[in-house]
């Protein structure tokens, strides 16, 4: 999914409209500003030291002082314009000292000396300009990322760790790191008809996928309170997707309703089937007896989708995910992530408390990242559900 953005100019970022916490985080993350000045200046200072040692160690018959021109370029990578000027001034002092050491200040050497000093000064000024442009662009990027972060919270509204009789733990990662939002969606609501949940995956990415996700979640948050039957909730969302989603967009989804103790009602719309992990680690894939087409494609299929019930006790944990999890490739072999094989021992017995459940989802997500080598090729959502009563 695409980034949510406000109008900013690339060289003049405006984060003043953000909440204070987001604004501070944006400015702190801008281009190494959360790293101490000493650490950011270290590469350029080491370059000054290296050139000085090289020139002195080779004796006066080797004139290596002009290598000091690398300092402005290195400083421009990590420092602000003011920092570049400060470090390069120190480098200029070292350059003058090396010129005297190498005895190139004689009259017959002054043309060469004049050229090297002018070159160093011009590189310093240009590097300061580059650093200023880099910092401004980084600030603009941080502002966009922070607004996208706010957009994700507004769109996904992460539920509390306890909703009705359920305990929840979630991990969500967008493949588009710079956007921080992606094509996966989820919501869990306590309603007069029981605790209801939806997990979905919008086809594609970009602004159209954002629009479709907003339509699905908005319709779910309304219909979940109004409709007595889970199929009625899905029907309302289907109608909203057909009316408001861009042409060609569809969403796989799984609906769950926790109304009666010891059981869960599921309704499948072409989504990844959930897993039920027993206390002893036994894993059951909750395959739909009559899976339905994704939301947005209902007009292409005759008949009506049918929900089905599954046992779900207080010792069980339900694992809901999107295809970004089960289709994640191994970094070396290319094999899909074996969620059914891994979930048992990583999740078993974690439904007793929110802390245990959160530790379990962290273990599962960490195992997923280890499988892929630390990078995900698609948006990925893991939602663990336990029952308190």
């Amino acid at each position: 999914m695409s980034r949510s953005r406000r109008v900013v100019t690339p060289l003049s970022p405006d984060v003043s409209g953000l909440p204070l916490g987001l604004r501070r985080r944006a400015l702190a993350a801008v281009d190494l500003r959360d790293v101490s000045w000493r650490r950011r200046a270290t590469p350029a200072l080491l370059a000054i030291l290296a050139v000085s040692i090289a020139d002195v160690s080779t004796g006066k018959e080797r004139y290596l002082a002009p290598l000091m021109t690398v300092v402005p370029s290195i400083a421009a990578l990590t420092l602000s314009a003011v920092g570049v000027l400060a470090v390069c001034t120190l480098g200029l002092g070292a350059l003058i000292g090396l010129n005297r050491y190498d005895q190139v200040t004689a009259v017959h050497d002054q043309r060469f000396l004049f050229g090297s000093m002018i070159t160093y000064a011009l590189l310093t000024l240009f590097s300061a300009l580059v650093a200023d442009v880099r910092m401004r662009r980084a600030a603009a990027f941080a502002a966009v990322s922070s607004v996208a972060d706010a957009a994700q919270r507004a769109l996904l509204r992460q539920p509390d760790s306890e909703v009705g009789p359920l305990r929840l733990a979630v991990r969500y990662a967008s493949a588009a790191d710079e956007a921080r939002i992606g094509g996966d969606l989820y919501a869990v609501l306590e309603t007069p008809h029981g605790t209801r949940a939806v997990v979905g995956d919008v086809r594609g990415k970009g602004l159209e996928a954002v629009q479709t996700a907003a339509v699905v979640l908005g319709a779910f948050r309304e219909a979940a309170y109004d409709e007595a039957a889970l199929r009625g909730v899905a029907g309302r969302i289907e109608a909203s997707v057909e009316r408001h989603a861009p042409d060609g967009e569809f969403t796989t989804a799984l609906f769950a309703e926790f109304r009666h103790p010891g059981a869960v009602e599921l309704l499948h719309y072409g989504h990844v089937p959930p897993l039920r992990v027993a206390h002893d680690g036994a894993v059951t894939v909750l395959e739909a007896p009559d899976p339905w087409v994704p939301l947005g494609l209902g007009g292409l299929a005759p008949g009506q989708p049918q929900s089905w019930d599954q046992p779900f006790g207080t010792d069980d944990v339900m694992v809901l995910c999107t295809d970004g999890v089960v289709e994640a490739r191994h970094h070396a072999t290319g094999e899909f992530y074996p969620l059914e094989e891994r979930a048992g021992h990583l999740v078993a017995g974690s439904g007793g408390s929110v802390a245990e459940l959160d530790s379990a989802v962290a273990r599962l997500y960490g195992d997923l990242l280890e499988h892929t080598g630390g990078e995900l090729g698609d948006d990925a959502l893991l939602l663990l559900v336990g029952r308190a009563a």
Side-chain angles (χ1 to χ4, degrees):
M1 296 173 73
S2 177
R3 57 175 68 87
S4 176
R5 59 177 182 264
R6 61 187 298 174
V7 177
V8 295
T9 60
L11 296 181
S12 301
D14 178 11
V15 297
S16 59
L18 296 174
L20 180 59
L22 282 178
R23 189 162 67 249
R24 285 176 176 171
R25 189 163 23 158
L27 295 176
V30 167
D31 196 43
L32 304 178
R33 287 190 186 180
D34 53 345
V35 179
S36 68
W37 189 91
R38 180 184 301 176
R39 293 182 62 184
R40 287 186 284 123
T42 296
L45 295 175
L46 288 177
I48 295 173
L49 181 62
V51 172
S52 300
I53 293 175
D55 185 85
V56 172
S57 63
T58 55
K60 297 180 181 181
E61 57 276 0
R62 295 286 189 274
Y63 181 47
L64 301 181
L67 293 177
M68 200 67 71
T69 53
V70 303
V71 172
S73 300
I74 295 174
L77 296 175
T78 58
L79 296 170
S80 65
V82 174
V84 169
L85 293 175
V87 170
C88 289
T89 299
L90 180 62
L92 179 61
L95 178 58
I96 294 173
L98 292 175
N99 287 334
R100 292 180 176 176
Y101 170 78
D102 291 320
Q103 297 179 349
V104 295
T105 57
V107 175
H108 63 277
D109 291 326
Q110 284 185 357
R111 285 191 303 169
F112 178 75
L113 180 62
F114 180 78
S116 65
M117 298 294 286
I118 290 297
T119 300
Y120 184 87
L122 290 177
L123 281 175
T124 296
L125 294 176
F126 181 75
S127 297
L129 176 62
V130 169
D132 184 63
V133 172
R134 190 200 76 246
M135 296 290 285
R136 288 178 180 272
R137 290 188 180 275
F141 172 78
V144 168
S145 298
S146 296
V147 173
D149 196 28
Q152 177 178 328
R153 285 200 297 273
L155 184 63
L156 292 181
R157 296 186 201 173
Q158 185 169 344
D160 294 334
S161 56
E162 294 188 68
V163 179
L166 304 181
R167 299 187 180 104
L168 308 172
V170 64
R171 286 295 184 277
Y172 177 87
S174 169
D177 293 333
E178 73 280 2
R180 301 190 186 182
I181 51 180
D184 296 351
L185 59 94
Y186 65 98
V188 183
L189 300 173
E190 176 67 10
T191 76
H193 314 290
T195 305
R196 288 171 164 173
V198 62
V199 172
D201 187 356
V202 179
R203 171 189 172 274
K205 293 178 175 65
L207 290 174
E208 291 183 346
V210 175
Q211 179 181 342
T212 302
V215 169
V216 172
L217 289 172
F220 174 76
R221 288 165 183 151
E222 289 295 325
Y225 289 94
D226 298 337
E227 298 292 333
L230 194 59
R231 198 172 74 179
V233 175
R236 287 265 296 273
I237 298 174
E238 177 80 43
S240 294
V241 170
E242 291 177 354
R243 292 191 194 104
H244 304 297
D247 292 340
E249 290 287 342
F250 62 84
T251 304
T252 66
L254 180 74
F255 297 91
E257 180 178 286
F258 303 85
R259 179 182 298 186
H260 305 293
V264 58
E265 181 183 356
L266 299 171
L267 185 57
H268 188 275
Y269 278 75
H271 197 68
V272 179
L275 305 179
R276 184 182 62 231
V277 181
H279 190 272
D280 61 0
V283 177
T284 304
V285 182
L286 305 182
E287 296 278 4
D290 184 22
W292 198 244
V293 296
L295 297 167
L297 302 179
L300 304 178
Q304 294 290 330
Q306 300 296 325
S307 63
W308 81 103
D309 292 335
Q310 284 285 344
F312 185 61
T314 54
D315 292 333
D316 297 330
V317 174
M318 185 175 295
V319 181
L320 299 98
C321 68
T322 56
D323 59 8
V325 174
V326 296
E327 295 179 1
R329 299 272 186 177
H330 190 273
H331 61 89
T333 65
E335 296 179 353
F336 288 133
Y337 180 67
L339 179 64
E340 183 179 348
E341 298 176 11
R342 304 287 183 89
H345 71 278
L346 293 172
V347 174
S350 62
S353 69
V354 170
E356 291 176 343
L357 206 61
D358 194 63
S359 296
V361 78
R363 289 194 299 270
L364 193 58
Y365 183 65
D367 188 65
L368 173 65
L369 290 181
E370 183 177 353
H371 177 84
T372 62
E375 295 184 1
L376 296 174
D378 195 5
D379 307 320
L381 170 68
L382 279 168
L383 175 63
L384 303 192
V385 181
R387 190 156 202 159

